[in-house]
């Protein structure tokens, strides 16, 4: 059960400094409308403590360690606050947005970690970025098509060959390069420019 909730603007936290304090829980029946409207109402006057309080300790950090990266956030549109129903929060009520978010997260995981590297590897081999590797794949494909009874031998042999080729970190990065997964630095730009 929801005992209560705490809301505060994360943008007000000082960068790199630890913030600790007791935060009063707002009753769950007040979880209605938008967060911006609830914060305005909360700032107008102090509410009576009816649900208790929680001790929170937070630190706002920039993952890259470069404080100038925070400026890039201003290039992104402001997120639209979620609107809770006027009847209040009900954990038993189906949340279609949460369902869509989970589906999109699952889809993004499959695309980013499975299909995109597979597409990148296929493009690397077919574009003859590394002639020796492409020649071996071509020879295995021709050999298994001429002698179908050696199909599994060819497939397992190619898997073993790819594992050997993936020992080199630079080759491994180049082999699975894809525009949506390449790092946003000079090395990533060089990897993608080779595929064009």
């Amino acid at each position: 059960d929801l005992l209560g909730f705490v809301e505060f603007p994360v943008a007000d936290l000082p960068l790199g400094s630890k913030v600790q304090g007791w935060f009063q829980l707002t009753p769950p029946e007040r979880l209605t409308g938008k967060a911006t409207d609830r914060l305005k109402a909360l700032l107008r006057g102090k509410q009576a403590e009816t649900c208790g309080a929680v001790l929170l300790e937070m630190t706002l950090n920039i993952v890259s360690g470069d404080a100038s990266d925070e400026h890039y956030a201003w290039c992104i549109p402001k997120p639209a606050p979620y609107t809770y129903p006027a009847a209040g929060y009900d954990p038993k009520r189906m949340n279609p947005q949460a369902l869509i978010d989970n589906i999109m997260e699952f889809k993004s995981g499959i695309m980013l970690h499975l299909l995109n590297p597979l597409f990148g590897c296929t493009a690397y081999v077919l574009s003859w970025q590394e002639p020796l590797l492409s020649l071996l794949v071509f020879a295995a494909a021709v050999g298994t098509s001429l002698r179908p009874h050696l199909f599994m031998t060819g497939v397992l042999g190619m898997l073993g060959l790819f594992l050997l080729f993936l020992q080199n970190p630079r080759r491994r990065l180049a082999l699975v390069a894809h525009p949506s997964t390449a790092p946003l630095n000079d090395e990533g730009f060089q990897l993608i420019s080779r595929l064009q």
Side-chain angles (χ1 to χ4, degrees), residues 103-138:
I103 292 172
M104 291 303 294
E105 187 177 354
F106 180 69
K107 175 194 164 191
S108 299
I110 290 177
M111 289 299 294
L112 287 176
H113 302 297
L114 182 64
L115 293 181
N116 285 345
L118 183 63
F119 294 151
C121 181
T122 305
Y124 186 87
V125 172
L126 294 180
S127 60
W128 292 76
Q129 297 288 329
E130 197 165 342
L132 177 60
L133 176 63
S134 298
L135 185 63
L136 289 172
V137 171
F138 178 71

Side-chain angles (χ1 to χ4, degrees), residues 168-187:
N168 187 327
R170 294 186 70 80
R171 182 184 285 125
R172 185 165 57 239
L173 192 60
L175 202 60
V176 296
H178 189 272
S180 64
T181 57
L184 293 175
N185 54 25
D186 289 340
E187 190 176 357

